[in-house]
């Protein structure tokens, strides 16, 4: 946000390392869908295209920039007096965005009538079947396959219905695993 004095604080926070990343960002980084340099570049040299206010929480800001030639949106909150909170990052695409700076209005109106919205980013949530749904029970990692869910087309957050949650509970309580997989474990180095 080089040219915008209103957002000088964002660069200051990055320089001072007063930045927190949401779990969503951590997942996107681990999944290699975004990179840390990409996020930082949007926050330092991108442009804010939307500010969303809500009486119950701090405003959040949508910034646009580029990562390796692809458009990238980074949603953040915070202020000069608090930390910079980096909330979500995604590539703006149809049906949500006509181009990186323009929301697709027609589709927007249609969605508001028919479908749910993402709690985090306000994106359209559409029904899909999730190939792998990870969860932990008593410290052990389990994977559920082929779970019906809602997927936010914008930020990738997943939602499940109450019925699906009940079925998952039943499955866990009554069924033996269908198969076993090994998982890779990386331990964060202690300093
Ligand atoms: Zn979302």
């Amino acid at each position: 946000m080089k040219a915008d004095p209103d957002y000088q604080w964002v660069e200051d926070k990055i320089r001072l390392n007063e930045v927190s990343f949401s779990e969503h960002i951590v997942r996107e980084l681990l999944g290699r869908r975004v990179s840390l340099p990409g996020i930082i570049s949007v926050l330092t040299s991108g442009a804010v295209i939307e500010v969303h206010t809500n009486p119950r929480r701090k405003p959040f800001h949508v910034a646009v920039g580029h990562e390796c030639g692809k458009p990238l949106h980074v949603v953040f909150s915070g202020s000069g007096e608090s930390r910079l909170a980096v909330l979500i990052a995604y590539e703006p695409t149809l049906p949500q965005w006509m181009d990186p700076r323009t929301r697709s209005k027609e589709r927007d109106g249609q969605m508001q009538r028919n479908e749910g919205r993402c709690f985090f980013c306000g994106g359209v949530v559409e029904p899909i079947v999730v190939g792998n749904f990870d969860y932990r029970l008593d410290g052990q990692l389990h994977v559920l396959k082929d779970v019906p869910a809602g997927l936010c087309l914008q930020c990738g957050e997943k939602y499940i219905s109450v019925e699906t949650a009940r079925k998952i509970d039943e499955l866990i309580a009554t069924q033996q695993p269908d198969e076993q997989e090994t998982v890779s474990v990386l331990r964060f180095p202690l300093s």
Side-chain angles (χ1 to χ4, degrees):
M1 266 76 79
K2 284 261 178 284
D4 195 338
D6 285 353
Y7 290 99
Q8 179 58 45
W9 64 270
V10 173
E11 274 182 74
D12 295 343
K13 294 290 160 184
I14 292 170
R15 202 180 52 246
L16 297 167
N17 282 333
E18 292 178 7
V19 186
S20 300
F21 293 98
S22 72
E23 196 178 0
H24 174 94
I25 297 285
V26 174
R27 278 201 304 270
E28 295 305 289
L29 290 171
L30 290 173
R32 305 254 169 94
R33 286 177 290 276
V34 296
S35 74
L36 196 53
I39 290 173
I40 299 295
S41 117
V42 172
L43 290 171
T44 52
S45 46
V48 171
I49 52 168
E50 288 182 353
V51 179
H52 296 259
T53 53
N54 179 309
R56 296 219 188 126
R57 59 185 180 209
K58 283 184 185 163
F60 63 87
H61 315 260
V62 182
V64 64
H66 285 87
E67 171 172 35
C68 304
K70 284 198 301 184
L72 180 67
H73 280 185
V74 177
V75 181
F76 64 95
S77 190
S79 69
E81 287 73 51
S82 65
R83 291 174 76 83
L84 167 64
V86 184
L87 305 174
I88 49 182
Y90 57 87
E91 186 187 344
T93 53
L94 283 167
Q96 197 71 24
W97 295 85
M98 282 196 314
D99 64 61
R101 288 168 177 266
T102 321
R103 278 187 194 269
S104 163
K105 291 220 168 43
E106 198 183 309
R107 178 87 172 160
D108 240 23
Q110 196 182 37
M111 289 300 167
Q112 269 163 0
R113 283 200 302 277
N114 303 332
E115 284 155 71
R117 288 270 167 176
C118 175
F119 173 81
F120 296 98
C121 75
V124 174
V125 175
E126 281 203 343
I128 58 149
V129 174
V130 178
N132 291 297
F133 211 100
D134 304 343
Y135 68 97
R136 277 196 179 268
L137 189 68
D138 300 331
Q140 238 213 311
L141 178 66
H142 298 258
V143 179
L144 276 164
K145 300 238 175 221
D146 306 330
V147 179
L151 174 74
C152 172
L153 296 180
Q154 185 161 273
C155 76
E157 191 62 36
K158 296 183 195 93
Y159 296 88
I160 57 169
S161 67
V162 179
E163 303 95 85
T164 305
R166 285 208 188 97
K167 274 203 194 110
I168 290 175
D169 259 0
E170 274 172 39
L171 270 171
I172 293 169
T174 58
Q175 287 221 340
Q176 288 300 306
D178 293 313
E179 47 198 278
Q180 298 281 345
E181 280 182 7
T182 53
V183 295
S184 306
V185 178
L186 297 173
R187 193 179 295 278
F188 191 84
L190 293 172
S191 51

